[in-house]
Each structure stands twice: as C-alpha cells, then as structure tokens.
Amino acid sequence: MEELFVFALLLCEGMVTREEYGEKLDELFLNDPENDDLLYLEWETDIKKSIAYIRAHVDYNVLDCESFGRIFMGRLKENYENCPDIGDFAKQAYHLWKSLPGNIQNKEPFFALCYGDDPLSWGDEEQTRSIYEYMMNYYDK
C-alpha cells in the first residue's frame, strides 16, 4: 500500500496524473487480485473517494518508512528534474510535507520538505537545490 499511497499524495499535488495513478493501481491489483483494498479502489470511480480511502486504510503505525521513502523520493526526484521553476517545486514540496502522516513529517529526509524553500527567501536558489537534492538522494547511500 506504500506505493499507492505515494501516488495518491503526488496526485493531490499534480505531480502524477490520474492515468499514472490508475496504471499503478492496475499493476498492483494484477499482482495481488485477492487484495480487498485494491479491489475496492479498482471499482471506485471518484478519485477523491479513492484518495480518502487510501489515507483511511494506510496503517501509519506499521508504514514501512524506508520503502515509502524510497518510492516517494524517487518519484519526487522525477518531478524536480522536470520542473523548470524551483519556486513552484518548493510550493508543492511544502504542501506534500503537510499531507504526510504526522509520525514521519519530522523525520529525515521528509522534514526537508518543510524548510527546503527557506533559502529562496533571500535569493539562495543554490542552497535550496542542495537541500532538496540531499533529501531526494537520502536513500542512495
């Protein structure tokens, strides 16, 4: 469910399309057709209800933070590399941080989503990029 949760979060910020979300859901369901959550989501046509269902059914206490983080940062990196305006990316990053579960918001590397844009306020784009790139490469160590 971690992977679908990532797609749901990114979908809310316009960082993945509905089609990409749908393709990921289809892939996960085909790999696990007995999963009742995935079956429900396959039949749900209202994307807002699907996202609400995912958020309500992710067990945040047993969420595999490393798996979630690797998927999340990988997808985020693709958006970062394709975003022509660092300010736009920074706004999306902050909104993503606010939508993360509270038990991981203040953990590395996720916390950087909260403060990564701070250096932009004094015109230091290089430092902002450094913060985001460190965050996105956190699991590459």
Side-chain angles (χ1 to χ4, degrees):
M1 195 67 129
E2 285 89 356
E3 194 165 12
L4 197 56
F5 183 42
V6 167
F7 274 74
L9 290 172
L10 295 177
L11 179 63
C12 290
E13 285 306 312
M15 297 176 116
V16 298
T17 65
R18 261 188 95 160
E19 290 76 27
E20 289 173 301
Y21 164 83
E23 289 170 7
K24 182 51 65 181
L25 174 58
D26 291 346
E27 175 191 325
L28 293 171
F29 179 69
L30 288 173
N31 289 333
D32 188 6
E34 302 299 317
N35 185 308
D36 290 337
D37 291 326
L38 297 175
L39 177 62
Y40 170 84
L41 293 166
E42 280 287 328
W43 283 98
E44 181 56 66
T45 58
D46 184 330
I47 195 66
K48 289 181 181 181
K49 287 182 181 178
S50 294
I51 291 169
Y53 183 90
I54 292 167
R55 290 180 80 65
H57 287 82
V58 169
D59 187 346
Y60 299 115
N61 294 319
V62 296
L63 181 72
D64 182 343
C65 288
E66 184 164 338
S67 175
F68 172 82
R70 285 181 184 282
I71 297 163
F72 184 79
M73 292 304 165
R75 293 298 302 197
L76 200 58
K77 190 174 191 176
E78 289 177 33
N79 281 274
Y80 172 79
E81 291 170 347
N82 294 312
C83 187
D85 185 333
I86 189 69
D88 290 341
F89 178 83
K91 287 176 192 167
Q92 290 176 309
Y94 182 71
H95 288 287
L96 280 170
W97 177 77
K98 291 192 309 185
S99 67
L100 289 174
N103 64 329
I104 65 170
Q105 275 184 331
N106 296 324
K107 291 183 180 179
E108 287 297 333
F110 308 104
F111 190 56
L113 292 165
C114 175
Y115 66 82
D117 64 338
D118 287 354
L120 290 178
S121 65
W122 58 84
D124 193 347
E125 181 178 323
E126 185 177 327
Q127 186 176 4
T128 289
R129 288 189 178 280
S130 177
I131 292 168
Y132 285 142
E133 289 168 13
Y134 171 80
M135 173 192 72
M136 289 178 281
N137 294 317
Y138 183 84
Y139 295 101
D140 295 344
K141 300 173 188 175

